[in-house]
Amino acid sequence: TTCKDKKVRVCDPRNSNSVAAAFDAHEGAKPQRSIWLPSKDWICTLGFGRQSERQIKVWDPRNLAEPIGVVEVDVAAGMFIPMYDDDTNVLYLAGKGDTSVKYYEFTDEAPHVFFLSAYSGSKPQKAACMLPKMAGDIMKCEVARVIRLVDDTLETVAMRVPRKVIEYFLTKGRKKKKKLIMSLAAQTYPFCLHSPPSPFFKNKKNG
């Protein structure tokens, strides 16, 4: 969670003291946000620096003393709306009042977050959200689809992978959709047992 005191808190609802860790993520006075990256087991925070520069920071929950990756995006007043795709490890950022949607990829190499590209529109957006994967058109090599609220209309933005041969995207370039299977029963969850969920990949055979 992120709070007005500029601290990010990691909470464990199974303990009496639910706050397992707390740390300062960004130095700016403006609001900040945090998201969990399941496949990487990292925490990503979005906030502002001292000079109002918008930042992306990546944290390892095993050592929260320093971020393992820092990227300064730009200088603007709008807060980022994060939309993370865990299948491709890509983070889509739509800033309030911005005319663009930027996207970054998380990797195991430092600084762990790299700029990919950006979509630029003609009008500023008020809000944005990502549609489910089933809404994308795989025959057009779409990996994600984002809806932007522009004025009083909704604008659909398709994120596509540049491929000349569609068959290559369908067989090798397209990531399988992961679905997590529960590994703990509700009766054993309060006893702080650790058992990560098992990934279940959806394909033509299993739906």
Side-chain angles (χ1 to χ4, degrees), residues 177-192:
K177 175 62 180 175
K178 287 186 292 187
K179 182 179 179 181
L180 299 180
I181 301 176
M182 181 182 63
S183 58
L184 282 178
Q187 294 81 0
T188 58
Y189 175 78
F191 297 101
C192 299

Side-chain angles (χ1 to χ4, degrees), residues 81-98:
I81 302 172
M83 297 165 285
Y84 180 62
D85 182 5
D86 193 48
D87 295 326
T88 58
N89 297 321
V90 174
L91 174 67
Y92 301 91
L93 298 177
K96 289 186 178 181
D98 293 357

Side-chain angles (χ1 to χ4, degrees), residues 101-185:
V101 178
K102 302 177 176 64
Y103 31 109
Y104 294 78
E105 182 180 9
F106 292 92
T107 66
D108 295 330
E109 297 151 357
H112 302 291
V113 53
F114 296 91
F115 175 75
L116 292 178
S117 185
Y119 162 82
S120 296
S122 58
K123 296 182 180 180
Q125 59 214 2
K126 298 179 181 179
C129 69
M130 181 184 292
L131 291 176
K133 284 295 185 69
M134 295 296 292
D137 188 351
I138 61 174
M139 300 306 297
K140 294 182 179 179
C141 302
E142 289 186 12
V143 293
R145 189 173 285 195
V146 175
I147 289 183
R148 300 170 65 234
L149 176 60
V150 179
D151 293 333
D152 56 351
T153 60
L154 294 176
E155 177 183 292
T156 302
V157 180
M159 307 299 179
R160 298 188 177 99
V161 177
R163 292 288 185 270
K164 292 183 179 180
V165 181
I166 298 179
E167 287 75 12
Y168 177 81
F169 171 76
L170 297 177
T171 56
K172 296 183 179 180
R174 184 188 177 207
K175 295 285 186 178
K176 292 183 179 180
K177 175 62 180 175
K178 287 186 292 187
K179 182 179 179 181
L180 299 180
I181 301 176
M182 181 182 63
S183 58
L184 282 178

Side-chain angles (χ1 to χ4, degrees), residues 39-102:
S39 59
K40 295 295 184 182
D41 200 18
W42 293 338
I43 299 172
C44 174
T45 60
L46 308 166
F48 295 83
R50 291 183 178 179
Q51 305 300 323
S52 296
E53 66 274 17
R54 295 193 288 192
Q55 298 175 332
I56 304 173
K57 290 188 178 183
V58 185
W59 305 81
D60 187 344
R62 293 171 287 258
N63 183 14
L64 297 172
E66 295 289 338
I68 60 176
V70 180
V71 172
E72 292 189 0
V73 180
D74 53 18
V75 178
M79 183 60 201
F80 280 131
I81 302 172
M83 297 165 285
Y84 180 62
D85 182 5
D86 193 48
D87 295 326
T88 58
N89 297 321
V90 174
L91 174 67
Y92 301 91
L93 298 177
K96 289 186 178 181
D98 293 357
T99 58
S100 63
V101 178
K102 302 177 176 64

